[in-house]
Amino acid sequence: MKIYLDDRTLTVERGTTVAAAMLNAGVSVFRESVSGEPRAPLCGMGVCYECMVTIDGQRELSCQTLCQEGMRILTR
Amino acid sequence: MSAVPDVAIVGGGIVGAACALECKRAGLSVEVYEQSTVGGGATASGMGHVVVMDDSEAQFALTHYSSTLWRELAAELPAAAEYLPCGTLWVAADEEEMAEVHRKQSFYEARGVPVEVLDAQQLADAEPHLRTPLAGGLLVSGDCVVYPPVVAQWLLDQAGVTIHHQEIRALADVPAGIVVNAMGAAAPRLSPGIPVAPRKGHLVITDRHPGFVRHQLIELGYLKSAHSASGDSVAFNVQPRKTGQILIGSSRQYGAEHKEIDREILTRMLRRAAEYMPGIGALTAIRTWTGFRASTPDKLPLIGPWAGREWLATGHEGLGITTSLATGRLLADLITGRTPPIPAEPFLPLRCSP
Amino acid sequence: MTGFDLIVAGAGPAGIAAACRAAETGAKVLVLDNNPAAGGQIWRNDIPALWAQRLSNVEVRGGCSVIDDSILAHGVPIVLATGARELFLPFPGWTLPGVTGVGGLQALVKSGFEVRGKRVVLAGTGPLLLAVASLLRKRGASVTCIAEQAPRSALLRFATGLWRYPLKIAQGIELGGSLLGVPYFTDCWVEEAYGRDRVERVRLSGFEQDCDLLAIGYGLVPNTELATLLGCTLQDGFVTVDAMQKTWREGVWAAGELTGIGGVERSLVEGEIAGLAAIGELTEARKLFSRRAAWHRFASHLTGAFALRPELRALPRPDTIVCRCEDIRYNDLTRWTSAREAKLQTRCGMGLCQGRICGAANHFLFGWQDTSVRPPASAAPVSDLMES
């Protein structure tokens, strides 16, 4: 299936989480911390909130969200 | 072994801390007793809103004077105090509430407080996430927001006083010339018979949503929802934090003694907020909590001597942060016999003695 | 929620076992989990076929968080099986992208993260390091080394005690085979991670190593937030239960890592007992007591062997971030004497995760215990709190 990441189009396997798809696409920075540090998934299980991105307009945990056809993901 | 201090303050909330600093500045020796965490009671659970109020002349005098002290202090406060000069915007939903806006306007202007009346469009421009249409509002730009626990600790650091982390079971146990009960809603535990009752409140804090709210927003509809009467009530009252977070309030309950969240009142409170700000439901809530205001029958605090060497600095209801600095000044003046900057009579506890 | 005989919070091994055993007696069971699908952190979408089949009579709702005690209002018995998260200990560089939990990396790989060709350093403690190393190798990663903080002597004592657990020996032999050739160091831990925008190099005790990923795992911390909100009693950080896995809160049972850390088999048997007990099948539940006792012995064996060494407390530098949500640094915290004081004075633990990461770290570093849990149990839309 296809998802949209910022200005890129990605092809992903069914059952892939958004976090995994983003890592596979080479994204290393998921969010900027309060003091401006780059951050990326830490816990992988919905606890740490480091993997928060905007998915179809909502702030979501990318590690807890499965990719859906046509999903739009913004890292900023 | 140190000598017995002139003043012992029981309660390390923001009121106790302000009293400690002012007494120290007045040349008294001071010690503070806090059984738990400095600023960990109502100081931590309130909103941290510094607001000039107009319910009575005495209330105005105290809040206005204290507000001035806050503005003087602002430059000195550490960044963690999260001082935010956002002003208060009183929101009017209809013409009846607009009449209240104009009444407030003349009250404040007559006493030298800068205010600005906003019409419906100006209100929408000032706060784009408010629902439309609303009638307008009154902006009191000198009001501000702080993070009180940090201020309480900072005031104590400035005072440089000894803090005893121990529980006091009787004021008679405290060695000092004067013992000040500054325990907020818990004050009657040490001073039985004082007219202070806990009034429970709920708050919700969100994740960082910078810009969603720009001013402290309070509905004027509380006039109709009887927020000032004795029953349980909720009101639209939201606040921007310096962090970009939003505090959502408010609720008032008498007779509720447990600190657990009351799901029914929380629901009512948030639905009221969503009536005014429909987008608020989509924000991310990260924590809810409750706290207890120290309320008095005439809505004025108790500041001054009570019985023998026992003094009071409590009963600040929802205005403890606003009036803490002025309370410290009044208390120190009363102890040392100086003339207070505003009349102290309306706040003297003896007004309530039977 | 009405119409069910049992609600299970958590769809990991303990929750699945509880749900299946209850459902097999004819009970109508609902399982809720905040992950998209059942499986929990250890199984993810690889639920063993045996359990997957048995789950067919159970309704599982993924992506569903229980945020407060209003779930008790339905009067339906509840089994809590909310599992555990990983313990993270701060060290310089631990906030760099590419540094994950060991279980975290396992979860990411099982949810589609491709690690083929990536150089991975695994560090921390316990058998999970080996299990994840094995998974990573199967997926084509190059595990450049495994650093176990425990001393060699403790591991030997652990290994010689394993004869009592034939299942574990079999698992160990299988793991050993898949890990041939991977350098394995004991008395070894990560001191610092380096990199610009992501981890590039790691300094371990006595040597440095280039890598693309660093996975660290210092053990597990139970997710007790919901149990606390429901009014269960905790002791030493775990939910207190009786022999039937019943908590001190009426109508609430607990199973798995919530009651103690000790692996899948322990969670499964506790889950089975809890599920049966919660619907009143006490005789069936009792039949499982001896199996549970065996896995409890194994768990205490495990805890002793992989105790954390005090040197790990000295890893943070003054400017090392401890609270990642609010970027609170080690030297911001040293003046304070409790979790509450640190929180009020510095914002440590006040962010989105509400101290779920730094809380356990601060317990290890400073001995602080943060017991204050308020709804929502995890961050949720404000509108969720408006539903009465």
Side-chain angles (χ1 to χ4, degrees), chain B residues 30-47:
Chain B
V30 182
E31 293 183 2
V32 171
Y33 291 80
E34 168 53 55
Q35 69 170 80
S36 177
T37 307
V38 166
T43 299
S45 51
M47 271 189 152

Side-chain angles (χ1 to χ4, degrees), chain C residues 91-213:
Chain C
F91 57 87
W94 77 297
T95 55
L96 281 169
V99 180
T100 66
V102 170
L105 182 57
Q106 178 186 48
L108 287 165
V109 167
K110 288 189 172 183
S111 60
F113 178 31
E114 289 152 20
V115 288
R116 185 163 300 281
K118 296 211 187 294
R119 298 163 303 168
V120 189
V121 170
L122 293 172
T125 202
L128 186 61
L129 292 176
L130 303 177
V132 174
S134 166
L135 171 75
L136 292 170
R137 288 193 101 196
K138 281 182 198 150
R139 301 291 177 97
S142 158
V143 178
T144 52
C145 77
I146 300 171
E148 166 61 61
Q149 60 90 39
R152 175 164 287 270
S153 55
L155 291 192
L156 284 174
R157 268 199 312 279
F158 175 70
T160 51
L162 270 185
W163 61 270
R164 276 170 284 181
Y165 311 96
L167 176 60
K168 288 290 162 197
I169 294 180
Q171 288 170 354
I173 290 168
E174 195 197 322
L175 270 181
S178 66
L179 291 176
L180 280 179
V182 176
Y184 182 83
F185 302 97
T186 52
D187 295 282
C188 182
W189 57 91
V190 175
E191 293 171 343
E192 183 161 11
Y194 309 98
R196 271 187 61 81
D197 273 354
R198 52 174 305 112
V199 62
E200 292 161 12
R201 194 170 171 79
V202 179
R203 190 178 81 241
L204 298 114
S205 321
F207 65 100
E208 291 197 2
Q209 183 88 55
D210 288 332
C211 67
D212 303 307
L213 295 168

Side-chain angles (χ1 to χ4, degrees), chain C residues 138-345:
Chain C
K138 281 182 198 150
R139 301 291 177 97
S142 158
V143 178
T144 52
C145 77
I146 300 171
E148 166 61 61
Q149 60 90 39
R152 175 164 287 270
S153 55
L155 291 192
L156 284 174
R157 268 199 312 279
F158 175 70
T160 51
L162 270 185
W163 61 270
R164 276 170 284 181
Y165 311 96
L167 176 60
K168 288 290 162 197
I169 294 180
Q171 288 170 354
I173 290 168
E174 195 197 322
L175 270 181
S178 66
L179 291 176
L180 280 179
V182 176
Y184 182 83
F185 302 97
T186 52
D187 295 282
C188 182
W189 57 91
V190 175
E191 293 171 343
E192 183 161 11
Y194 309 98
R196 271 187 61 81
D197 273 354
R198 52 174 305 112
V199 62
E200 292 161 12
R201 194 170 171 79
V202 179
R203 190 178 81 241
L204 298 114
S205 321
F207 65 100
E208 291 197 2
Q209 183 88 55
D210 288 332
C211 67
D212 303 307
L213 295 168
L214 165 62
I216 38 174
Y218 284 113
L220 301 176
V221 183
N223 294 319
T224 52
E225 286 74 19
L226 183 57
T228 307
L229 287 178
L230 298 197
C232 300
T233 304
L234 270 66
Q235 198 183 343
D236 301 329
F238 293 98
V239 175
T240 315
V241 289
D242 67 10
M244 285 295 170
Q245 301 294 138
K246 191 170 188 289
T247 71
W248 270 218
R249 169 78 189 189
E250 198 54 39
V252 181
W253 286 256
E257 319 264 38
L258 263 188
T259 70
I261 302 300
V264 179
E265 292 83 4
R266 179 189 178 285
S267 291
L268 283 170
V269 68
E270 282 201 2
E272 290 186 61
I273 293 171
L276 289 166
I279 55 156
E281 297 282 346
L282 302 186
T283 312
E284 282 302 303
R286 261 183 215 105
K287 291 177 185 165
L288 299 162
F289 282 8
S290 61
R291 178 147 64 91
R292 179 181 59 189
W295 288 116
H296 278 182
R297 282 193 298 276
F298 174 73
S300 50
H301 201 57
L302 202 62
T303 318
F306 297 102
L308 295 179
R309 56 198 313 145
E311 290 95 324
L312 299 172
R313 286 198 183 90
L315 292 180
R317 282 203 284 258
D319 65 346
T320 300
I321 283 174
V322 175
C323 167
R324 300 169 63 115
C325 293
E326 298 292 320
D327 285 1
I328 308 305
R329 294 165 200 276
Y330 186 80
N331 63 351
D332 296 327
L333 299 174
T334 45
R335 175 182 169 186
W336 311 111
T337 59
S338 70
R340 170 120 165 106
E341 200 176 45
K343 180 185 212 167
L344 293 181
Q345 295 300 326

